[in-house]
Amino acid sequence: DAYYRRGTSKSALNMTSAALADICKAISLAPKKSKFLMVRAELFLALKNYDGAVSDLHRFLIVDTSKEKVHTVYLKAAECRKISGNRVLERLELSKLVKYDPSCVDAYRLRADSFFSDGDYKQAEQECIQALAIEPDNEHCLQLRKKIGQLKAHLHRAVK
């Protein structure tokens, strides 16, 4: 725990690389401490090592499978994939979350955003429909569906 405390202290001082070295040492001494893995994932994310962050997030799930943590892990992993520009893997992480918890509106909403960004409006709308079936007043999905409807109407007029 001494390396962990020192690492988190360095992290708070924005000494990310030095913090990472201490957290790695803490993990080598106590590989089943889930909070160590989460901190290292955050440090990897700060250093733009997205694959390292996702790897630690997945390792975290081996140690801690509480519902709240599973949600956090898959959402963070999806964020890493999005930031790194890999929308396919972003959606894969979100699909894992949907498989784990089919009532997770955030997963559908984020998949809708991802499909929309890729220009797959039909699939984006399907994701919104799924989210709205769970949470009918989800403002983000309502707005996105409206935007998709406007795009469809514009395209329909352009074709005529």
Side-chain angles (χ1 to χ4, degrees):
D1 279 346
Y3 285 104
Y4 172 77
R5 284 191 303 277
R6 189 169 78 178
T8 55
S9 295
K10 288 178 182 177
S11 178
L13 296 170
N14 291 321
M15 300 170 60
T16 310
S17 294
L20 180 61
D22 282 340
I23 297 300
C24 287
K25 182 67 175 174
I27 290 170
S28 72
L29 296 171
K32 295 195 188 263
K33 288 263 190 158
S34 60
K35 69 180 180 179
F36 294 4
L37 291 167
M38 188 60 78
V39 169
R40 187 167 71 176
E42 293 289 343
L43 292 169
F44 279 142
L45 183 58
L47 293 168
K48 298 183 169 120
N49 179 346
Y50 305 116
D51 289 335
V54 171
S55 176
D56 272 357
L57 290 167
H58 289 170
R59 286 181 60 200
F60 180 93
L61 289 178
I62 295 168
V63 180
D64 188 340
T65 58
S66 64
K67 185 174 184 175
E68 179 184 314
K69 298 295 184 181
V70 171
H71 278 229
T72 299
V73 164
Y74 284 130
L75 291 172
K76 281 187 180 289
E79 177 188 358
C80 288
R81 300 303 192 184
K82 179 181 177 180
I83 293 168
S84 70
N86 194 328
R87 294 223 178 259
V88 172
L89 290 179
E90 172 196 10
R91 290 190 292 263
L92 178 65
E93 297 294 345
L94 294 168
S95 293
K96 290 175 189 175
L97 179 51
V98 166
K99 185 175 180 180
Y100 174 79
D101 180 7
S103 68
C104 183
V105 172
D106 285 339
Y108 294 111
R109 178 182 56 79
L110 292 168
R111 284 197 317 197
D113 288 344
S114 180
F115 282 117
F116 186 86
S117 293
D118 280 351
D120 188 343
Y121 306 128
K122 184 177 182 178
Q123 191 58 46
E125 186 170 32
Q126 289 303 310
E127 297 295 332
C128 285
I129 290 168
Q130 297 253 13
L132 291 167
I134 301 162
E135 189 180 298
D137 60 343
N138 185 287
E139 189 61 33
H140 183 84
C141 287
L142 290 169
Q143 289 299 318
L144 189 56
R145 281 197 76 197
K146 182 178 177 183
K147 195 176 204 179
I148 292 167
Q150 291 168 342
L151 284 169
K152 283 181 180 178
H154 179 73
L155 288 172
H156 182 71
R157 284 191 303 274
V159 170
K160 284 184 171 183

